[in-house]
Amino acid sequence: MKPLKVINVVGARPNFMKMAPLIEAMEQYPEAIQQVLVHTGQHYDEKMSQSFFVDLGMPRPDIDLGVGSGSHAEQTARIMVAFEKVCQDEQPDLVIVVGDVNSTMACTITAKKLGIRVAHVEAGLRSRDMSMPEEINRLCTDVLCDYLFTTDYIAGQNLQAEGVDKQKIFFVGNVMIDTLMKHREMASQLDLSQKLGLVPQGYATLTLHRQGNVDDREVLKGILEAIQEISHTLPVIFPIHPRTRKMVESFGLSDFFNSSEQVRGIWITEPLGYLEFLHLNMGARLVLTDSGGLQEESTVLGVPCITMRPNTERPITCEEGTNTLVGNEKSAILREASRVLSGQSCVGKVPEKRDGKAAERIVGILLQIQGGAP
Ligand code: UD1
């Protein structure tokens, strides 16, 4: 039988840990599945891209579109033009996209218009917040995709409420957690926290990069003021995203940071590799974030997570996990941090099918498709 020819798409940092276990699971069936890995180049800095390939043991991309940064329209358009050519040259049977970044949506639209089937991994997540570019990406991607692989029951309900045919929806679990489980032991062996003089449960980690939080000076300033207050109680390690660094500098807010090797205060670092950051999060007393992935990861690690957003596309992490949504106002961030630090955080449980086997399930379904099913 002819193998199923699949193009796997990655573009930005949160895509790599979702795609890595899928590639590994597909590699078990070289006669049935032929893979081509395309990197759009949406993220391109060593620390935002290449270092993840090394940490996660992923093969290098077969094709790099090198699109780089730009406005949403520019970036999306550049990806579409370049990816169309790839699809025409490669003639895949299926394109697999993950997550909700511009690359996810751009490649989905392009492939579908060429009549190519598309599978979306991490489908059905909804924040209901149309001011988030990611929500637009999620909606456009899901409405077009042929196979929708979901992480939890809520995502399946969302898709059905939007009229998606049940036959297209597969509740498989969370591939990002497959990666976490595979690397947990390895990350625990690192001596990074020791080198930094950090003790387990004696520090917090912070990520901050959402447009809604960092592109407005007053909002960003309020968040940083709250973090600074928290950092008087315990050091806050902040691997800063390039977007945020740019905004902090342009708003004249750099004085908030202490880049010396003092562990009191907000401690700013370059973006960290996957293993290093997992290592730090595993020992953290508290995670402060506006990222999607960290809400999922902290829930599985059992670390309290304060999400500085008014909504989340991952409500299961609040319903069942350790996540609390507080919005981006200083007083609300401080209130919740003080609750957590006084030992009152909720003890969550790990949601269903976060068992390290999501990629295996997806590949099982792909093999059925290859065998002529749906
Ligand atoms: C993107 C995703 C977001 C995801 C985040 C994870 C979209 C709409 N957003 O946001 O969902 O949570 O990635 O990191 O797809 N830059 C660099 N080097 C890089 C990449 C970016 O310096 O390697 C700078 C550039 O100035 C760029 C800015 O960061 O303009 C924003 O990058 P972009 O890919 O547009 O969005 P992110 O904020 O990274």
Side-chain angles (χ1 to χ4, degrees), residues 125-328:
L125 299 183
R126 296 288 181 266
S127 66
R128 318 268 174 226
D129 177 354
M130 293 300 279
S131 71
M132 282 182 84
E134 292 82 1
E135 185 71 357
I136 298 171
N137 293 341
R138 291 179 201 117
L139 285 161
C140 293
T141 301
D142 285 344
V143 80
L144 293 175
C145 275
D146 302 272
Y147 309 105
L148 297 147
F149 295 112
T150 59
T151 48
D152 58 52
Y153 76 94
I154 303 172
Q157 285 174 353
N158 290 339
L159 291 168
Q160 284 192 57
E162 288 166 18
V164 174
D165 181 351
K166 233 172 141 172
Q167 308 273 333
K168 292 176 161 185
I169 306 170
F170 304 90
F171 173 24
V172 291
N174 193 322
V175 284
M176 202 190 331
I177 302 307
D178 291 3
T179 295
L180 183 150
M181 289 183 141
K182 182 176 171 195
H183 293 90
R184 206 171 170 163
E185 181 57 32
M186 219 185 294
S188 73
Q189 314 275 320
L190 299 186
D191 58 1
L192 179 65
S193 47
Q194 217 179 334
K195 273 194 188 146
L196 298 176
L198 299 168
V199 291
Q201 303 296 307
Y203 61 93
T205 56
L206 165 68
T207 71
L208 188 66
H209 73 277
R210 290 275 155 219
Q211 247 174 263
N213 281 342
V214 306
D215 285 11
D216 180 295
R217 187 178 192 280
E218 286 318 297
V219 171
L220 179 57
K221 186 163 172 277
I223 294 174
L224 293 177
E225 281 170 359
I227 304 295
Q228 193 169 51
E229 262 193 69
I230 295 167
S231 80
H232 294 147
T233 308
L234 80 176
V236 178
I237 316 301
F238 182 18
I240 194 166
H241 187 286
R243 170 193 281 277
T244 313
R245 182 184 284 280
K246 223 164 64 178
M247 299 318 289
V248 164
E249 283 164 8
S250 75
F251 291 149
L253 297 171
S254 307
D255 283 354
F256 274 99
F257 305 119
N258 170 9
S259 57
S260 73
E261 300 229 339
Q262 293 292 321
V263 286
R264 285 277 154 212
I266 307 176
W267 196 359
I268 196 170
T269 76
E270 288 295 308
L272 294 173
Y274 180 78
L275 291 172
E276 289 175 326
F277 199 44
L278 175 57
H279 168 83
L280 289 183
N281 286 324
M282 283 166 71
R285 172 90 181 272
L286 166 67
V287 167
L288 294 141
T289 195
D290 62 2
S291 123
L294 211 43
Q295 297 173 51
E296 301 274 7
E297 290 165 345
S298 52
T299 273
V300 171
L301 294 173
V303 177
C305 178
I306 297 182
T307 296
M308 297 173 291
R309 285 174 42 189
N311 49 55
T312 179
E313 64 285 352
R314 301 163 200 274
I316 200 150
T317 60
C318 299
E319 280 173 23
E320 298 186 13
T322 56
N323 189 20
T324 308
L325 281 185
V326 298
N328 56 18

Side-chain angles (χ1 to χ4, degrees), residues 35-39 60-64:
Q35 307 186 53
V36 178
L37 179 59
V38 173
H39 189 338
R60 293 274 146 195
D62 299 295
I63 301 168
D64 194 332

